[in-house]
Amino acid sequence: MSVEIKCDNISVGGSSVTLVSVRSGESGIGLCSSGINPASGESSTINKFFYIGSDPVININCPNLDSKVTDKMMSFSSGFQGVDHDIYDAFTADLNKLNRGDSLTNSLKEIFSLLTDGVYTVYTSEYYPTDGNGLFFWGAYNITHEVRGTAERSTSIGNRPYRPCFLIPSQPMETYTTKTKQTTDEAVKSRRIQGIVYHLSGFHSVLLKGHHGAVSCAENGIPFKCAVIERVSQPYTDPYFAPVKKAAPPPSEETPAEGEETPVTAPAPAPVVEEREGISGFRSASVKIPLEAFPKDVLKLILETRPDIKPPHFKSLMNKTKAVRKRAVTNNILPRDVLDNCEIMPDCEMVESAFAIDDISDAQLNALLTGDTELNGKIIISPNFYSSIVTACNFLQFKDEQRFINFSISILENPDLNATHEYTARRLARLSKNEKAYRFFRSALSSEDAKYEKILTVADRYVREYDLNKNK
């Protein structure tokens, strides 16, 4: 039976969302659950793996019985040797179509046919070629470890949509060659789209195509824009605002007689928030779609399919998860500039804060600087002061660098806020080539004021590295 691919453009909150429905897919790309492994001794950990073709690529251990608010343990599969040639050629062909100017839905049809049955949304977005914690993504998953930002739901973001922006590789590190990179150094300058990713969990997506291009972009400061494929499968419930009773008619416009008081109009009653029975709709990481916005056949497909269903070749995949591939020996190493640039790119904390709040005013920042977590009777960010400072710093660093610098220096100049000094100084030090930050840190080093005690180590390192780079 041939693969059936259907594309729909729907409107959600005034924005257009592209949905792709896949029926009778080839199950060549997907996420699969293998349940609990008794031999591991972890009775509360659900084991999953992301696969491409006939090979498992990423092993995923999900603690707390796959809790949606818990980060995952991830590693590159020990038995993975590389993507099958036919599938790799399909990735290459689809990326070439994107850069010839074809639409997302037309360009990615070969990849759509490889997906498991279900509903997906596709869009373009910028990604940072890191693991979300300052390390270049290619080679950051060689051993099993907890990856910050891989929980499906962030407690700070809550039920808001967010954009995934960190990468997981789908090729072994030994496939990197300087010769291929020399080609991509030129190619990335003219590409409209640099890579194709499949959203896996939280802020992280698997890079299907574009590994060498990611190296070139990271080294040369070129935005790594990707075509993103996200599965729409998670139900969500939003609060329901009950309709309010009709307000009383406005008072008469007649002028009251002398000595009479002007009647006061009662304020309109506020809408009542009620618990909704049932779900509001289905979502992916980046979009929430109400039930009424779905075409009926698309909604039916979501209800009929599971995101982690076992593919027909499940037994073969399981056997390969136990294999150990031979470690390749290579003299090729990543350029030093790539690693250095990754260290100063946005990380999970920063991006999480950027989606946790909509905006923060100067008045609210001034209130925080005085030690208050409330303004005009409303909580600014959080009742916890330290958490509020952390979120505000990260939000400003991601959204408005100049305000971030001014806010950070104001914090570091205030001895009453010394509990937040070390964290704030480390954040400010990520701006490795900022002259204002350099002047402040240099001034702190030359001062004997006790208020700078907690930041002297950070300041010394920043000034030395700044001077070294300036003299190159």
Side-chain angles (χ1 to χ4, degrees), residues 45-48 59-63 71-75 144:
T45 298
I46 305 295
N47 299 297
K48 298 182 180 182
N59 293 329
I60 309 165
N61 298 327
C62 310
D71 287 328
K72 317 301 181 189
M73 305 279 289
M74 291 188 178
S75 66
T144 302

Side-chain angles (χ1 to χ4, degrees), residues 66-302:
D66 195 17
S67 167
K68 302 303 180 186
V69 295
T70 303
D71 287 328
K72 317 301 181 189
M73 305 279 289
M74 291 188 178
S75 66
F76 208 73
S77 178
S78 59
F80 183 61
Q81 297 287 344
V83 177
D84 294 340
H85 289 298
D86 290 345
I87 296 179
Y88 183 81
D89 290 343
F91 293 167
T92 304
D94 283 4
L95 182 62
N96 289 338
K97 291 175 187 175
L98 284 169
N99 284 294
R100 285 201 300 264
D102 290 3
S103 67
L104 280 172
T105 51
N106 287 332
S107 299
L108 300 178
K109 280 187 176 178
E110 288 192 65
I111 294 180
F112 293 154
S113 67
L114 294 169
L115 301 175
T116 56
D117 289 4
V119 178
Y120 303 82
T121 182
V122 292
Y123 60 93
T124 60
S125 184
E126 183 179 343
Y127 271 70
Y128 305 108
T130 76
D131 66 341
N133 300 280
L135 298 176
F136 188 66
F137 80 102
W138 207 357
Y141 299 86
N142 290 333
I143 60 173
T144 302
H145 66 289
E146 184 179 281
V147 182
R148 175 82 167 84
T150 50
E152 286 98 328
R153 297 176 190 166
S154 164
T155 52
S156 60
I157 294 176
N159 206 25
R160 298 166 180 255
Y162 58 89
R163 284 290 177 103
C165 55
F166 302 115
L167 295 176
I168 300 171
S170 66
Q171 290 184 11
M173 183 63 207
E174 55 263 26
T175 59
Y176 168 74
T177 65
T178 53
K179 184 177 180 180
T180 304
K181 177 186 168 295
Q182 288 171 0
T183 302
T184 57
D185 282 343
E186 291 300 318
V188 295
K189 296 176 183 177
S190 59
R191 283 178 182 164
R192 184 173 64 95
I193 303 294
Q194 305 288 356
I196 302 172
V197 301
Y198 179 101
H199 177 244
L200 188 59
S201 183
F203 286 106
H204 292 69
S205 298
V206 178
L207 182 62
L208 304 179
K209 176 66 179 176
H211 291 67
H212 282 84
V215 179
S216 299
C217 287
E219 183 179 29
N220 297 291
I222 298 173
F224 192 68
K225 191 174 183 180
C226 294
V228 188
I229 301 171
E230 278 181 9
R231 181 148 190 161
V232 180
S233 61
Q234 294 297 322
Y236 73 91
T237 302
D238 275 343
Y240 172 67
F241 291 89
V244 296
K245 294 181 180 180
K246 188 175 180 181
S252 172
E253 295 183 0
E254 295 180 3
T255 304
E258 186 176 352
E260 294 183 5
E261 294 185 358
T262 304
V264 179
T265 305
V272 179
V273 182
E274 296 181 355
E275 288 293 329
R276 180 190 291 268
E277 294 185 5
I279 66 171
S280 305
F282 289 91
R283 65 170 295 172
S284 64
S286 66
V287 66
K288 295 163 63 176
I289 306 175
L291 291 173
E292 57 271 18
F294 284 103
K296 289 185 178 180
D297 58 331
V298 175
L299 187 58
K300 181 181 178 183
L301 183 59
I302 292 176

